[in-house]
Amino acid sequence: MTHDKTTPSAPEMSWFAWGDPERAEALDPALRDLIVQALHADVSPIPPVEEADVDLPPSHLSDRLRELLAGIVGTDHVLTGDAVRLRRSGGKSTPDLLRRRSGQADPAPDAVVRPADHEQVQRLVELCSSEGVAVVPFGGGTSVVGGVDPLRGPFGTVVSLDLRRLDGLVSVDHTSSTAVLGAGLRAPRAEELLGEHGCTLGHLPQSFEYATIGGFAATRSAGQASAGYGRFEDMVVSLRMATPRGTLELGGAPASAAGPDLKRLVLGSEGTLGVITEVGVRVRPLPETVLDEAWSFPDFATGTEALRILAQSDVRPTMARILDESETFVGAALGGREATPGCQAVLGFEGTAEEVETRAGLVRRLMTGAGGTRLGPEPVAHWRENRFSSPYLRDTLLGAGVLAETLETATTWTGLLPLYEAVTEALRGSLEGEEGGAVILCHVSHTYPTGASLYFTAATAAGSDPLSRWDRAKRAVSDAIAEAGGTISHHHAVGTDHRPWMVSEIGPLGAEILRSVKSALDPEGVLNPGKLVPERS
């Protein structure tokens, strides 16, 4: 969007951290002292090893297979160098970064292959299926659930299918308010290209600067303006996907009763059923006006009730979020502001000046009636300016010896506060102990008429074995989510991390259906093995 500060051509991400290495910052000593005090534990730095010292397994790509791949994409686009393979050896979760900081880069792909268009992707997946080569689609590499880990499964070779060259705006239909985008197109560039036509997609998740259009579709992404624009899956009108069995082209009509919507089957498939190459989306005119407002509520229960009333009303803001007491306090401290008592809500409105003023006026009455106090735009301005920076702070903390990781879930309004309490208790119970305490933050990031999401951040001392420490917490939380009736993932997807809880999520019959669909589209099982689809028990 033109009203946001974006990075149209973000550089290659760091191999051991999030984003642009030039934006990494050292931890302020005063902040470090505050963290040590809050966690009741000393912390020790976790510096990365030198890149040359990373234990990168050798490539097992045979000369014969290299020639076959090069015959499709060209010699220059079959890469086996250490640097490029290292940067495709996984995603950006805290466990991913801990492993790479310690010098472990296994698994790593045997090659990185960069196709230019759908036809090349189609030929590649057919070749890999016939040759028994695992294929892991790679867009922005922002997964935090193991979604792009280059697992080879039972296969001797695994290639990372880098879709960066599929980065075009294929078409714009102004009459129908739709556009077709290449799957490898990064979100900032997509907004730039659509902006030239007076349009916006309006999808801005925290991964915005690096994530791609295909990644949004493959993971059922939810952006920060979902209250007004919807989730990414709500924006998708058509899809094109390459599978070992052929090309699948779905959708196009505004609505259909021609059987089950197979487009919905592809959305969220995480590269396990095929490789998405083009996405048709609904677009909107660039907004004339953006209006932000912060509100204060006496406690989290009152604030979430206000958002429920808002979500079930006939008028909604473009963005609606509420922070619990702890996150409200920390957010104010990091922003250099005095914290207001209770909880802070963040609302945003976009559209024409008349639309925005009308909607904002109606929302103000609802929020005031629900116990809210209007604070004005300033707290939201700070949030907007820093909303893509949280991963950098996480990495700064990690380098200083503090684990700061996120997880998310969603449930009905009735179950929201019980789920909030269950997850908080599971985090505290698994993280607090001899190695220190934990700070648990939470906010509601997405609302719906029937329920809402919960987005947690946990900070704790890394301790003597940080990987085991976080794994124990993640398992405890996932079990608590399943027991409390929440979804195992609201928008981070499944990958490897959430796969063990998929049967709890969709049931044994649902798992069998997923396995059957995969078998039909990917009979050899080469597409992104080890992700999403539950194993047979």
Side-chain angles (χ1 to χ4, degrees):
M1 293 184 180
T2 55
H3 59 270
D4 277 306
K5 295 179 180 179
T6 62
T7 308
S9 300
E12 182 86 25
M13 280 212 267
S14 167
W15 62 270
F16 65 87
W18 176 270
D20 181 0
E22 296 297 319
R23 290 172 62 183
E25 295 184 5
L27 186 63
D28 181 88
L31 180 57
R32 181 193 181 281
D33 293 342
L34 183 63
I35 290 168
V36 168
Q37 182 179 357
L39 298 181
H40 306 293
D42 199 4
V43 293
S44 301
I46 307 177
V49 302
E50 294 294 329
E51 183 172 349
D53 294 331
V54 174
D55 184 14
L56 188 74
S59 171
H60 297 290
L61 187 72
S62 67
D63 291 341
R64 173 180 172 277
L65 186 56
R66 181 193 295 271
E67 290 180 6
L68 291 172
L69 295 170
I72 297 174
V73 300
T75 303
D76 291 344
H77 298 293
V78 179
L79 309 175
T80 56
D82 286 355
V84 70
R85 291 173 54 233
L86 173 60
R87 285 161 176 78
R88 299 296 178 271
S89 63
K92 296 296 182 181
S93 70
T94 292
D96 289 332
L97 303 183
L98 279 169
R99 282 189 285 267
R100 289 202 283 278
R101 279 176 175 269
S102 69
Q104 300 174 37
D106 191 1
D110 295 302
V112 176
V113 183
R114 294 176 174 166
D117 53 33
H118 173 85
E119 286 68 28
Q120 288 189 4
V121 175
Q122 182 62 55
R123 291 172 62 193
L124 284 169
V125 296
E126 290 175 358
L127 171 67
C128 290
S129 180
S130 65
E131 294 289 329
V133 175
V135 180
V136 180
F138 193 99
T142 63
S143 174
V144 292
V145 294
V148 295
D149 289 1
L151 304 181
R152 63 187 68 235
F155 307 103
T157 305
V158 56
V159 299
S160 176
L161 195 65
D162 191 326
L163 299 171
R164 66 173 56 193
R165 298 173 69 200
L166 280 70
D167 62 350
L169 173 59
V170 179
S171 63
V172 176
D173 182 342
H174 287 282
T175 302
S176 303
S177 294
T178 62
V180 177
L181 308 172
L185 188 62
R186 280 185 177 174
R189 180 60 178 158
E191 288 293 345
E192 184 180 75
L193 292 171
L194 290 171
E196 293 173 0
H197 294 268
C199 302
T200 180
L201 186 57
H203 188 71
L204 288 93
Q206 194 173 72
S207 60
F208 174 77
E209 293 174 305
Y210 284 90
T212 62
I213 297 300
F216 290 154
T219 60
R220 293 173 71 184
S221 173
Q224 294 164 346
S226 64
Y229 290 138
R231 295 165 61 91
F232 191 76
E233 63 198 79
D234 302 321
M235 304 174 183
V236 175
V237 297
S238 64
L239 287 163
R240 194 179 195 195
M241 183 171 77
T243 83
R245 296 286 304 279
T247 293
L248 198 58
E249 302 202 47
L250 301 168
S256 172
D261 187 356
L262 295 183
K263 182 170 81 271
R264 291 278 173 171
L265 189 63
V266 171
L267 291 165
S269 58
E270 300 184 31
T272 63
L273 306 180
V275 180
I276 297 170
T277 59
E278 289 181 1
V279 184
V281 293
R282 179 186 60 180
V283 295
R284 302 166 185 266
L286 283 165
E288 286 179 14
T289 302
V290 177
L291 173 65
D292 293 326
E293 291 186 347
W295 288 76
S296 178
F297 289 89
D299 52 57
F300 195 49
T302 305
T304 55
E305 176 64 8
L307 288 200
R308 181 192 68 80
I309 293 169
L310 196 57
Q312 293 175 349
S313 72
D314 292 329
V315 57
R316 300 176 197 168
T318 308
M319 173 188 66
R321 305 158 70 88
I322 186 162
L323 288 59
D324 73 358
E325 290 89 342
S326 297
E327 189 158 337
T328 297
F329 176 82
V330 170
L334 291 176
R337 307 186 313 276
E338 182 178 352
T340 56
C343 298
Q344 181 177 288
V346 176
L347 304 182
F349 303 85
E350 297 178 7
T352 66
E354 183 179 359
E355 289 170 345
V356 164
E357 188 52 43
T358 299
R359 287 162 56 211
L362 293 171
V363 167
R364 285 170 193 150
R365 286 197 285 274
L366 288 175
M367 297 290 275
T368 301
T373 300
R374 187 176 167 196
L375 300 177
E378 287 306 316
V380 194
H382 178 265
W383 175 79
R384 280 197 183 273
E385 185 176 347
N386 293 280
R387 60 177 160 167
F388 303 133
S389 300
S390 293
Y392 290 99
L393 177 58
R394 176 202 62 170
D395 295 348
T396 296
L397 293 172
L398 184 60
V402 177
L403 295 183
E405 185 61 303
T406 63
L407 54 92
E408 38 73 50
T409 181
T411 191
T412 62
W413 288 111
T414 300
L416 194 71
L417 291 180
L419 179 61
Y420 169 74
E421 293 167 1
V423 172
T424 301
E425 182 179 341
L427 283 168
R428 291 199 186 283
S430 56
L431 291 174
E432 294 184 340
E434 293 182 0
E435 295 193 280
V439 174
I440 313 298
L441 316 177
C442 182
H443 64 266
V444 170
S445 55
H446 305 273
T447 61
Y448 309 91
T450 59
S453 67
L454 292 169
Y455 193 101
F456 290 86
T457 300
T460 188
S464 57
D465 188 352
L467 276 171
S468 296
R469 188 162 163 75
W470 179 250
D471 181 68
R472 183 169 60 250
K474 179 72 173 181
R475 289 182 177 277
V477 167
S478 297
D479 287 341
I481 287 172
E483 186 175 344
T487 178
I488 196 62
S489 178
H490 172 262
H491 60 267
H492 281 170
V494 176
T496 58
D497 291 9
H498 297 144
R499 189 184 183 209
W501 289 270
M502 276 298 286
V503 174
S504 296
E505 179 91 11
I506 62 176
L509 182 57
E512 187 61 35
I513 291 170
L514 265 185
R515 287 192 288 264
S516 297
V517 173
K518 181 168 177 65
S519 179
L521 293 174
D522 178 23
E524 302 303 321
V526 299
L527 295 175
N528 215 6
K531 322 292 171 52
L532 177 64
V533 183
E535 292 184 283
R536 294 185 185 277
S537 57

